[in-house]
Amino acid sequence: MGTIRLLGPPVIEDDGRPVRAPRGRKAWVLLAYVLLAERPPSRQRLAELFFADADDPLGALRWTLAELRRTLGRSDVLTGDPVVVGGLVDDAVDARLLSDDLADPAPLLATGHELLEGVHVASCPEVESWLAVERHRVSALIETRLRQAAVALLAAGQAADAVPYAARAVELNPLTEGNHELLVRSLAMAGDRTAAQRQIAAASDVLMRELGVEASPALTEAASVASDSPRTPALSGRAAALSQLDAGRAAIDAGAVDAGIQCLRRAVAEAARVRDPRLRARTLTALGGALVHEVRGHDEEGALVLQEALRFAETAGDRAIAVTVNREMGYVEVQAGRRPAARTWLARAQELAETDEELAAILGVRGQNASDEGDYPAAFTFLTESIDRSLAAADARQEAWSQSILARAHLLRDERHQAAAAAQRSVRLVQEQRWLAFLPWPQALHAEVQLRNGDLAAAGDAFEQSWVLGCQIGDPCWEAFAARGLSLVSAGRGDSGSAEQWLAEAAVRCNRTTDRYHWMQAHVLDTSIGAALDRGDADRARPLLATLSAVAARGGMRELVVRAQLHRHRLGDGGALATARVLAADVDNPALTALLDDPDRPKVAR
């Protein structure tokens, strides 16, 4: 047997030629369901999902599986109970290759991008809902692989080869400005400035027409600023590079971000003149990290700079810098909701790490990623070890960061005492470190615990403090989370008008930069939909729900996928509750279980 192609119109090929398609309108979807399942599904579950309307559901399943084996020409596949893939290797299934970082990305330039394109099973609402979610997930995987290929080629100095991958990413998802920025940067670095300018204009029109937003300055800058191109005249020599590096870090620590970035750009340029790979890795890592963490809307440039840094770190054999770069790249992918890429980068960082300080930082980001996915057992394991290693390394800031993510995970599970303990510890550490740029986040987390405990006055005061400080800092995440909290406080006080205004403000804040934190966007959407449904405004809820469903599925946020299905149930979708229960099977969250048991209860206090 040759290849099973599930991307685009499905087909099974033998020596490159299509074979007879399996009979039965549900066969393709059943094949995809088994091949893409995280663990083998039971026959009983497959029969209930696909053939509940048959006189003999298990018999219909047996016939369909046998038909698939005949089509595949294999008797050792799709057998047993639970049904296992058997002798099919990953490289025989195009969709399964998407998770293989070593697989050649070139076929993605030509392949269809929709899973089972043109296939529908309207008679099985649960399966149709699964297929919609899976299509989003697979589309996001393809986009991630295309972006990875483009960025790697850019970092290797092969800009012309990067262009088709970046262009395909734009074609797949034209509403993400970062994809346009990557294409503009590829075209500019390949020497085609005219095409880069055309792409800026086209992207600006798409974003305004479809989203009603102006393109960010980062898009325009991508056509003219390379990572090693300082914007002001540079000094010369190793001493100048080190001096600019120190000055850049000091300026950023003091809050003078723009001046700091300019110093770091000069440091990168000077290091390039010295031609010392270790120095180039150090300066590029500092610049890339600053672009990611300190400058809103520059994650794309930051990721490219970090890729360059990794190349020089590997040349110089600098393990510590390689650890930092892999971790930072993982963090970028977590923020963007690209889970497989995030796991790959963070696993590489952990393999290279040796010190408690390095491991504490890596495990903290892994805990964030697992929590975003709804994998709470893994999140608690990563975060607990991160905190332990932070204590061993006397790294108070890292402990504060990991404690805050731990607080969030407990809060999402409605474990209020544990959430309060972690949030209070984070606030205390942040205050001791005078780390005001981070304070709004744990402050707001603790405020939400107070809100759930019914202390509206204390919660309102804390959310207001978080909001004011978040606005002073200019961090979209802190602003959005605080605004969402103020909306919940207003709702608790019976002020529905103020609650609506604050939720609208939260949506604006978390979406005002292109490199938004996708979990925060989805979290605000979930709250907004619940509030709209609580007040009976289905027309407002429906477009928000369409966005949440796509963002959550593409970002691998399983719990929020389930919550989207629960919203669909409240809107009258007959199969949504059953689908939610199927999708929730792998999410260990007692708070979510309570929602599934009572899906029609108003959500404002949840």
Side-chain angles (χ1 to χ4, degrees):
M1 194 206 74
T3 302
I4 300 173
R5 301 200 182 280
L6 301 178
L7 304 179
V11 65
I12 297 170
E13 297 177 346
D14 187 7
D15 290 332
R17 290 184 294 184
V19 302
R20 176 186 63 84
R23 292 177 293 172
R25 56 192 172 86
K26 298 176 183 176
W28 282 119
V29 188
L30 176 62
L31 178 61
Y33 190 95
V34 175
L35 290 178
L36 301 179
E38 290 186 12
R39 57 174 180 266
S42 70
R43 284 182 175 253
Q44 185 64 40
R45 184 60 197 145
L46 291 174
E48 291 171 353
L49 274 175
F50 286 87
F51 305 105
D53 56 350
D55 293 336
D56 180 7
L58 284 171
L61 173 65
R62 283 193 298 271
W63 183 90
T64 305
L65 290 173
E67 171 66 10
L68 286 169
R69 284 193 291 272
R70 283 192 292 271
T71 301
L72 295 169
R74 300 279 294 268
S75 60
D76 62 336
V77 299
L78 307 178
T79 60
D81 189 8
V83 178
V84 295
V85 173
L88 289 178
V89 294
D90 281 350
D91 60 7
V93 184
D94 60 355
R96 291 175 71 171
L97 281 172
L98 295 175
S99 299
D100 182 0
D101 291 323
L102 299 178
D104 181 7
L108 296 178
L109 295 173
T111 189
H113 63 261
E114 182 172 85
L115 179 69
L116 300 182
E117 185 178 333
V119 175
H120 299 281
V121 280
S123 62
C124 299
E126 290 178 54
V127 175
E128 189 72 8
S129 294
W130 169 85
L131 184 56
V133 170
E134 199 67 7
R135 278 172 171 156
H136 283 303
R137 186 187 71 85
V138 168
S139 178
L141 276 174
I142 295 172
E143 183 184 348
T144 296
R145 290 297 313 282
L146 291 166
R147 289 175 50 83
Q148 285 177 318
V151 171
L153 288 165
L154 278 177
Q158 303 173 50
D161 293 332
V163 169
Y165 290 98
R168 184 74 164 131
V170 168
E171 179 186 346
L172 186 62
N173 186 2
L175 301 186
T176 293
E177 185 180 316
N179 290 342
H180 292 283
E181 183 184 336
L182 183 59
L183 177 54
V184 169
R185 194 175 300 278
S186 300
L187 290 166
M189 294 180 74
D192 195 344
R193 302 277 176 173
T194 301
Q197 292 296 334
R198 281 200 302 266
Q199 185 59 35
I200 291 172
S204 299
D205 285 343
V206 167
L207 295 172
M208 178 54 68
R209 181 177 63 250
E210 301 296 333
L211 302 178
V213 299
E214 295 283 354
S216 73
L219 183 64
T220 303
E221 291 170 7
S224 57
V225 181
S227 61
D228 59 352
S229 299
R231 299 183 187 178
T232 56
L235 303 174
S236 61
R238 177 185 299 276
L242 293 172
S243 175
Q244 292 293 337
L245 178 60
D246 291 341
R249 286 171 170 167
I252 288 170
D253 286 344
V257 174
D258 289 343
I261 292 293
Q262 293 308 310
C263 288
L264 293 177
R265 289 190 187 278
R266 295 187 190 106
V268 166
E270 287 305 325
R273 292 186 178 93
V274 174
R275 298 186 180 278
D276 178 342
R278 180 171 278 103
L279 183 60
R280 295 193 73 176
R282 285 180 61 190
T283 55
L284 285 163
T285 299
L287 175 59
L291 290 168
V292 167
H293 294 287
E294 309 296 341
V295 188
R296 311 303 171 207
H298 281 70
D299 276 9
E300 298 299 327
E301 183 186 1
L304 176 58
V305 172
L306 288 167
Q307 284 269 23
E308 291 183 78
L310 182 60
R311 183 161 57 92
F312 287 113
E314 290 173 343
T315 299
D318 195 315
R319 180 202 61 80
I321 292 179
V323 168
T324 299
V325 172
N326 278 285
R327 186 197 73 232
E328 293 283 35
M329 288 296 295
Y331 176 80
V332 170
E333 301 298 338
V334 171
Q335 295 286 110
R338 296 187 284 262
R339 308 295 163 197
R343 285 192 291 269
T344 298
W345 285 111
L346 294 169
R348 289 174 185 165
Q350 191 165 346
E351 288 173 4
L352 293 169
E354 295 178 357
T355 69
D356 283 327
E357 186 176 13
E358 290 172 341
L359 286 164
I362 295 162
L363 290 164
V365 183
R366 294 195 74 174
Q368 179 188 12
N369 194 46
S371 178
D372 286 2
E373 289 184 286
D375 187 351
Y376 293 101
F380 289 137
T381 297
F382 290 137
L383 292 169
T384 300
E385 186 177 350
S386 174
I387 291 165
D388 290 344
R389 289 187 179 274
S390 298
L391 288 165
D395 189 343
R397 287 198 173 193
Q398 181 59 54
E399 187 197 344
W401 193 92
S402 296
Q403 288 279 11
S404 75
I405 304 301
L406 181 64
R408 184 191 68 166
H410 282 304
L411 189 59
L412 291 171
R413 289 166 55 91
D414 203 29
E415 294 166 339
R416 300 178 196 178
H417 290 88
Q418 295 173 85
Q424 287 171 332
R425 172 68 176 168
S426 181
V427 168
R428 185 163 61 253
L429 288 167
V430 168
Q431 290 172 335
E432 290 172 357
Q433 294 293 308
R434 301 180 184 275
W435 191 14
L436 293 182
F438 189 68
L439 181 58
W441 171 237
Q443 196 173 46
L445 289 167
H446 187 240
E448 186 154 344
V449 176
Q450 294 171 314
L451 173 65
R452 294 193 189 190
N453 287 335
D455 193 344
L456 288 175
D461 287 344
F463 275 127
E464 284 180 11
Q465 292 173 31
S466 175
W467 165 256
V468 171
L469 185 53
C471 290
Q472 289 175 350
I473 295 165
D475 189 293
C477 282
W478 308 161
E479 294 167 1
F481 197 72
R484 172 188 169 277
L486 287 167
S487 171
L488 294 175
V489 170
S490 296
R493 291 170 173 163
D495 187 349
S496 59
S498 178
E500 254 188 277
Q501 290 174 357
W502 276 116
L503 270 180
E505 192 65 43
V508 169
R509 298 292 170 140
C510 71
N511 287 294
R512 69 183 172 86
T513 61
T514 56
D515 50 359
R516 66 182 66 89
Y517 180 21
H518 283 226
W519 179 87
M520 187 66 73
Q521 178 193 11
H523 192 54
V524 170
L525 280 166
D526 176 50
T527 303
S528 300
I529 296 163
L533 292 174
D534 287 350
R535 63 177 183 266
D537 191 350
D539 289 340
R540 172 63 177 160
R542 285 192 179 92
L544 296 176
L545 179 54
T547 303
L548 173 62
S549 298
V551 170
R554 291 179 66 84
M557 295 176 273
R558 295 180 295 176
E559 180 170 345
L560 284 159
V561 169
V562 173
R563 294 178 73 95
Q565 291 297 323
L566 288 172
H567 292 313
R568 291 189 186 282
H569 166 73
R570 293 185 70 192
L571 281 167
D573 186 330
L577 181 57
T579 301
R581 287 174 172 149
V582 171
L583 296 171
D586 294 326
V587 181
D588 179 10
N589 184 348
L592 187 64
T593 301
L595 281 179
L596 290 163
D597 290 341
D598 187 11
D600 298 306
R601 182 162 54 93
K603 291 181 167 23
V604 70
R606 301 188 189 188

